Every structure is written in C-alpha cells, then in structure tokens.
C-alpha cells in the first residue's frame, strides 16, 4: 500500500494545521537556472553564525544547528511544503482507532554509515535511549511523555504504544530529537552526548573533521540512496564535501562571502543586507521560522515578577516596534504571542492588546509599591532598587539579540525606571544561574515545526525549559488537551486559550519578534533552500556548484 494511504485521521489532522506555514517565506528561493543544471562534484564552504553545543541530534536545542543535523542524521518522518507529514526512513504509518498506538513500516536496505543496518531494532534502541534517565530528560518528559513502550513487530515494522492519545508523537518522529543514531554509536561512542565522528547516522554526508571554534567538514556518503520526498533529487549528494566555518560576527561572515572566501552564509542582519543585495554575484533569501517567537519570559517564582502588575509594567515600558526598528531597521516581524505568527496556532486576537504605554507602566509600578526613585532615576521600594536580571547564554544568542537586550534595557529605564541587568555568559554559567534561580528574565525562541511542542517545553509545569516556573494545573491541562486533540479546529481553540492565559491575562512573557533565517549565497551555487515548515536552512544534500 502506498505510504501516503497508511495515514489515518489522527495523523492526517496535523496537515491542515501546518499547511499555512508553507506560505511564510519572506523571500524567494533562488531558481535552479541561476546556477545552471544540477551537477555532481566539488566542495563548498558555508559560514554559520552559531557553533553547535553538541553534534548528537538527540541533544539538539539550537535552531541554528538544524542544517548541520540533517547532513548526517535522518528521521522517520518529515514535512513537505504544504505542512503535511510524509515518510522518510519510514514508508508509512497507521494509528490505532483508539489513538493509543502508532505502527510504522520502515525502509529496506538502509544502513548507517558505520555499516550497522537500519531496522526496527535500531528504532527501538534510539527511543529506549531517549527514555534512559539522565540522557535526554527534556525529551523524555515532554515529547515522549505519553510513550509506554516500543514493540518490534518484525524487522521492518515497529509499534509505539501510548498511555494517552498524542498527536505530537508524529512531530517528534520528524524532529532532530527523533533522528536515528546508529545503535553501535549509542553503545560505543566515546562521548555520546557531545557527538562527533563516532556518532553516526544514515544521512547523505559523513562528519570528516571537527575543529572546535573553527569548522566542521563533511564528505559525501557515496552509498546514500534514500532521500525524502521533499528533496529535489535522489541518490548521493551532489557535492563531494562541504565545510561549515564558525564566524560569529555578521560583518565577518558577509566579508568572507563578498571576498569569495566562502560561497554561502546564514544570518544576515539588516545592517549588512545592502552589501549582498547590491552585489549581482550574490543572492539573499529569507524565511520565517516556525514554532515559538523570540520572547522574554518572566520568572514568577520570586519578586518582583511574582507581582502581575510589575510584569505588565515591564511590557508597557517597551515600545517594541521602536526597539525592533532601532536594531533591525524594518526587517523584523513583530511578535504579539509566544507562538510565531507563521504558525497556524497563532492567536491574532492578541495583536495591539498591550505594550508601549509608559504612563500605564508607571501607574502600575506606583500601585505595586515601587513609588520612589533613587538618585539614578530607578524605581525603589523599601530602599531596594527595582532590578531584574536577564541572563543570556552565548551559544543561543543569534540575530544580534545582545544588541536588542541593550535597546530594551534603555527603554525600560527611560520609560519606567526599571533596572534591567544584562549578562552575556557561557552556557555553563547560564545553566548555573537558572538552576540557582538567580534570574528574572529568560529569553528564548524555538523552531519546532509544531508550536505545541515548544509550548510544552516552555510552559508546562514539567517542561524542560519552563523558566517562568509556572506551575498551574489549568495551563497544564490545556497543553495536554492540545497534545491529545486530533481535530485541527479543536486544537487551535485550545492553544488560543493557552495564549490568552499566558500572554493576555497573566503577562508571563513579552513577545518581541518572529525569528527568520537569511541565506546569502553566490549565484553560482544551486539548490539553496529552506527546510519545509520549519523555515530554517536545509541541509547541503541538494546543493550543487554551477559551471
């Protein structure tokens, strides 16, 4: 039976919800003719903004790392341009009438690049590893929350048994965390969590070399012959190899592109885009990310953000449109919700409902008891300054978010006398601050293909990155209902209620902008595209070098 026909109602229900995302591009992908017809051979160098924290897809947490993940690892399912789930390493799937199990059939003659066969035992080994205590606790607690067991039906058939209906289990199977790692790597890798050359997948490239702080080099997997239906060709990748150089500063990346030291870059801020668009040998493309918007989340577990009025005041003290314009000119898309406006789950009713009212901010702070000011103009209460701490983890800072933080810092001081302390620190220091509860503001965005997965991580009481420290049974119930709902209309209504409670009523977040990715490339490079639905740069599989 064709794979597409194996989907039943619960699986297919995700498709209408995600179909809108296919139209979220803010630029046009270069036509194939710009680089001539596809051809094999040659190597490229791509400058990227962010060095990955880990090369193990199970530990994936950076949206900027997705283009690297899919070079070497693959998932059972993926999304097409219409936002529909389609097979990849699986050939199809069926859901039980009660929604409590998913049975997947797998491709034949697929091997991991270390020679290990891909089969049902490999899938079970991956999922069992993800559920192992301490390995990937966030995934186990959220994406696999309702998973009861993995059963091997036969070498090409595996069944996921659930404790409750869960439509997000299919999204997990299409995510980097659900990518398949060789069982040999799971057993023998020297540092499995960090990844490296001994942590391998089934993908079109093999990691050849990793120089921390400098670059990653990949070589073509000559045996590759199981591309997803979203790819533009089949068989091995066109390129012999590709190198990704880590260049944090955008000006350095653009300079490397314009001087032909690299052929592609990602992450091109507004200030540098004229250098690309004004060069006929280069082309710039953009696309909005899916998932959650970039937002400031307020820690409600201790003062001052345990007071609703202070949270509301902080939001009113920021004229978001002005701040975004100062940092990104007119290239940023304003966010009004914790869900990206590119998501079909986005609640448009939130637009214009708050923010940018300095008089209201000051009234709220007066009412909350922060009615006096010190010599520097900051609000005080009982002799203590109104200070809140934003701790930014350097590996996750993209899109000049450090500069944006400075603009917000100036805005809240000028408008309402709030002292926003901004710290840009290494990941270990940031993690320590979060564990010690020594922060008041947490910044985050996620490029999950389904925004429901992002909200479970960020807002559920057991969410892996619930830095608001909300522990509200009513919000938990809504999130769990959204995870179980197969009907797209019902599901959208549930997540609208979540957004209304979190953003409109409780003001636990200040949404700022919808992240977007930009790719600037030489017109001699063909096959440049974005990952369907997620809106992030795709892997190097379809890239080629024109004559």
């Amino acid at each position: 039976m064709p794979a597409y026909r194996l989907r039943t109602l619960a699986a297919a229900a995700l498709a209408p919800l995600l179909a809108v995302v296919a139209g979220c591009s803010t630029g046009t992908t270069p036509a194939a003719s710009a680089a001539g017809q596809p051809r094999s051979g040659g190597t490229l160098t791509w400058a990227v903004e962010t060095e990955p924290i880990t090369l193990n897809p199970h530990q994936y947490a950076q949206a900027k790392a997705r283009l690297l993940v899919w070079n070497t690892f693959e998932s059972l399912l993926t999304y097409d341009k219409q936002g529909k789930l389609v097979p990849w390493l699986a050939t199809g799937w069926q859901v039980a009438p009660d929604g409590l199990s998913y049975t997947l059939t797998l491709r034949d003659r697929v091997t991991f690049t270390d020679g290990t066969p891909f089969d049902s035992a490999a899938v079970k080994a991956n999922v069992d590893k993800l559920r192992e205590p301490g390995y990937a606790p966030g995934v186990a607690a959220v994406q696999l929350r309702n998973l009861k067991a993995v059963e091997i039906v036969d070498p090409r058939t595996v069944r996921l048994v659930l404790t409750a209906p869960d439509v997000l289990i299919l999204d997990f199977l299409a995510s980097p965390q659900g990518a398949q790692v060789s069982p040999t790597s799971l057993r023998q890798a020297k540092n499995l969590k960090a990844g490296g050359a001994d942590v391998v997948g089934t993908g079109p490239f093999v990691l050849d070399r990793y120089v921390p702080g400098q670059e990653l080099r990949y070589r073509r997997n000559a045996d590759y012959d199981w591309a997803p239906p979203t790819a533009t060709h089949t068989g091995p990748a066109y390129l012999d190899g590709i190198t990704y150089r880590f260049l944090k500063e955008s000006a350095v990346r653009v300079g490397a592109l314009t001087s032909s030291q690299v052929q592609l870059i990602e992450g091109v801020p507004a200030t540098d885009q004229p250098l690309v668009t004004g060069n006929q040998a280069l082309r710039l493309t953009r696309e909005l990310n899916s998932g959650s918007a970039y937002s400031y989340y307020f820690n409600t577990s201790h003062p001052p953000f345990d007071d609703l009025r202070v949270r509301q005041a902080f939001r009113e003290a920021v004229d978001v449109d002005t701040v975004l314009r100062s940092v990104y000119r007119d290239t940023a898309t304003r966010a009004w919700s914790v869900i990206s406006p590119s998501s079909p789950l986005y609640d448009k009713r939130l637009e214009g409902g708050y923010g940018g009212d300095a008089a209201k901010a000051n009234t709220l702070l007066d009412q909350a008891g922060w009615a006096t000011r010190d010599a520097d103009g900051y609000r005080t209460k009982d002799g203590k300054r109104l200070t809140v701490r934003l701790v930014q983890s350097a590996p996750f800072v993209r899109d000049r978010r450090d500069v944006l933080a400075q603009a917000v810092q100036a805005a809240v001081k000028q408008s309402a006398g709030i002292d926003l302390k901004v710290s840009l620190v290494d990941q270990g220091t940031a993690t320590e601050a979060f564990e010690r509860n020594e922060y008041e503001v947490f910044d985050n965005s996620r490029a999950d293909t389904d925004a429901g997965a992002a909200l479970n991580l960020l807002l559920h009481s057991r969410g892996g990155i619930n830095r608001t420290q909300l522990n509200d049974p009513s919000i938990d119930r809504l999130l769990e209902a959204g995870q179980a709902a197969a009907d797209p209309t019902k599901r959208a209504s549930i997540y609208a209620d979540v957004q209304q409670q979190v953003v409109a009523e409780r003001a636990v977040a200040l949404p700022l902008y919808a992240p977007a990715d930009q790719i600037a490339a030489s017109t001699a490079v063909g096959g440049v595209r974005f990952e369907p639905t997620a809106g992030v740069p795709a892997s190097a599989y379809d890239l080629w070098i024109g004559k």
Side-chain angles (χ1 to χ4, degrees):
M1 178 179 290
Y4 293 96
R5 295 184 181 178
L6 289 175
R7 287 174 292 168
T8 56
L9 179 60
L14 286 178
L17 281 173
L18 294 163
V20 176
V21 182
C24 293
S25 175
T26 55
T28 303
T29 303
S33 59
Q37 293 300 310
R39 66 189 191 97
S40 297
T43 61
L44 289 175
T45 303
W46 185 325
V48 295
E49 180 178 10
T50 305
E51 182 172 1
I53 296 171
T54 172
L55 297 173
N56 180 338
H58 294 166
Q59 308 293 320
Y60 162 82
Q62 299 161 289
K64 290 281 190 175
R66 286 179 74 107
L67 77 165
L68 304 174
V69 167
W70 300 129
N71 278 337
T72 48
F73 301 97
E74 300 177 304
S75 56
L76 298 178
L77 309 176
T78 190
Y79 287 96
D80 66 13
K81 291 181 179 180
Q82 287 71 47
K84 296 179 181 179
L85 281 160
V86 293
W88 192 349
L89 291 180
T91 59
W93 63 94
Q94 291 178 307
V95 59
D98 60 4
L100 293 180
S101 70
Y102 286 86
T103 302
L104 297 102
T105 54
L106 308 179
R107 282 181 182 254
D108 197 5
R109 295 187 293 277
V110 174
T111 58
F112 293 94
T113 55
D114 62 3
T116 304
F118 168 73
D119 54 16
S120 297
V123 175
K124 179 174 171 56
N126 273 263
V127 179
D128 286 349
K129 186 66 181 181
L130 283 161
R131 301 175 73 200
E132 185 178 290
Y135 177 66
V139 176
V142 178
Q143 287 97 324
L144 300 180
R145 175 192 301 147
N146 296 317
L147 182 65
K148 180 180 180 180
V150 184
E151 299 176 349
I152 296 176
V153 178
D154 60 46
R156 291 284 167 264
T157 311
V158 64
R159 180 176 296 120
L160 305 182
V161 182
L162 309 178
T163 59
D166 186 348
V167 297
L168 285 179
I169 197 72
L170 293 177
D171 181 74
F172 160 74
L173 296 176
S175 72
Q177 291 97 336
Q180 299 296 295
V181 176
S182 167
T184 303
S185 295
L186 295 178
R187 294 191 305 267
Q188 300 178 6
K190 295 178 181 178
N191 190 340
L192 178 59
K193 283 193 173 183
D198 60 350
V199 179
V200 306
T202 60
F205 290 93
V206 178
L207 179 62
D208 201 33
R209 182 187 181 197
Y210 174 35
V211 183
Q214 296 183 33
E215 65 183 28
L216 285 165
R217 292 184 183 178
Y218 294 89
R219 56 180 170 81
R220 178 168 52 192
N221 174 8
D223 297 324
Y224 184 77
D225 194 25
W226 40 87
T230 55
T232 61
H233 78 291
T234 59
Y238 293 124
L239 298 174
D240 294 328
I242 185 167
T243 297
Y244 294 89
R245 292 178 58 192
F246 308 131
L247 299 179
K248 176 66 178 175
E249 298 299 324
S250 62
V252 176
R253 290 195 301 278
V254 173
L257 178 65
T258 56
S259 62
S260 300
Q261 297 177 59
V262 303
Q263 292 76 50
L264 305 96
I265 65 173
E266 59 84 29
V268 188
T271 51
D272 294 323
Q273 288 181 13
L275 296 174
V276 177
T277 57
N279 188 328
Q280 293 185 352
L282 304 175
R283 182 165 293 178
L284 177 71
T285 55
R286 315 175 187 87
E287 192 150 336
L288 287 179
N289 295 169
S290 61
S292 62
Y294 179 66
S295 305
Y296 283 0
Y297 293 87
F298 303 134
N299 183 350
T300 64
S301 70
H302 62 240
F305 286 143
D306 58 344
D307 189 325
L308 171 63
R309 294 167 296 186
V310 180
R311 301 196 299 269
Q312 291 172 329
F314 190 100
R315 296 201 316 188
E316 295 299 333
V318 183
D319 184 336
V320 174
D321 289 322
T322 298
V323 167
L324 293 179
R325 193 174 302 114
S326 70
V327 178
Y328 304 113
R329 299 185 180 176
D330 292 316
T331 63
T333 300
R334 167 77 184 268
W336 289 97
S337 174
V338 291
I339 291 181
S340 171
S342 67
S343 170
L345 299 177
Y346 173 69
D347 188 353
K348 191 176 178 64
R349 294 175 300 168
L350 292 167
E351 295 181 2
Y354 62 88
D357 189 336
K360 183 176 181 179
N362 284 284
T363 298
L364 286 165
L365 291 177
D366 288 342
Q367 293 172 351
W370 297 92
T372 56
R373 294 180 184 254
D374 62 19
D376 295 319
Y378 292 109
R379 292 268 180 168
T380 60
K381 181 168 71 171
D382 300 329
K384 183 180 179 180
R385 179 180 286 185
L386 179 51
T387 299
V388 295
R389 296 163 293 181
L390 167 62
V391 180
Q392 294 186 304
S393 180
F396 293 93
V397 173
R398 53 175 282 194
D399 303 341
R400 305 182 74 210
R401 290 175 179 175
D402 50 344
V403 178
L404 176 60
Q406 295 170 18
V408 174
Q409 180 184 55
V412 296
K413 176 184 179 182
Q414 180 178 352
S415 297
I418 300 172
D419 182 17
L420 174 62
K421 299 290 189 185
V422 181
S423 300
L424 179 61
V425 299
D426 61 82
Q427 185 188 12
T429 302
T431 300
E432 186 176 334
F434 298 142
E435 291 176 346
R436 293 183 176 182
N437 204 21
E438 296 175 347
Y439 68 97
E440 285 72 44
V441 185
F442 168 68
D443 65 328
N444 183 268
S445 68
R446 293 184 58 83
D448 300 274
T449 47
D450 190 300
L455 296 194
N456 278 342
L457 286 164
L458 290 160
L459 300 173
H460 195 282
S461 60
R462 298 193 301 275
I465 50 175
N466 179 3
R467 308 294 188 200
T468 67
Q469 300 202 43
L470 276 176
N471 188 4
D472 190 314
S474 66
I475 292 178
D476 285 354
R477 284 193 293 270
L478 283 171
L479 291 170
E480 290 162 9
Q483 189 166 358
D487 178 73
T489 302
K490 179 181 179 181
R491 193 160 183 262
S493 176
I494 291 169
Y495 285 113
D497 287 345
V498 173
Q499 292 166 82
Q500 287 294 322
Q501 285 202 36
V502 169
V503 180
E505 299 174 19
R506 307 192 187 192
V508 298
L510 169 60
L512 291 167
Y513 73 94
D517 272 295
Q518 311 86 27
I519 303 176
S522 164
T523 54
V525 178
V528 177
R529 64 185 185 91
F530 292 89
E531 186 183 331
T533 304
V536 297
S539 75
Y541 175 66
D542 282 323
L543 295 179
W544 77 85
I545 304 171
K547 293 182 179 179

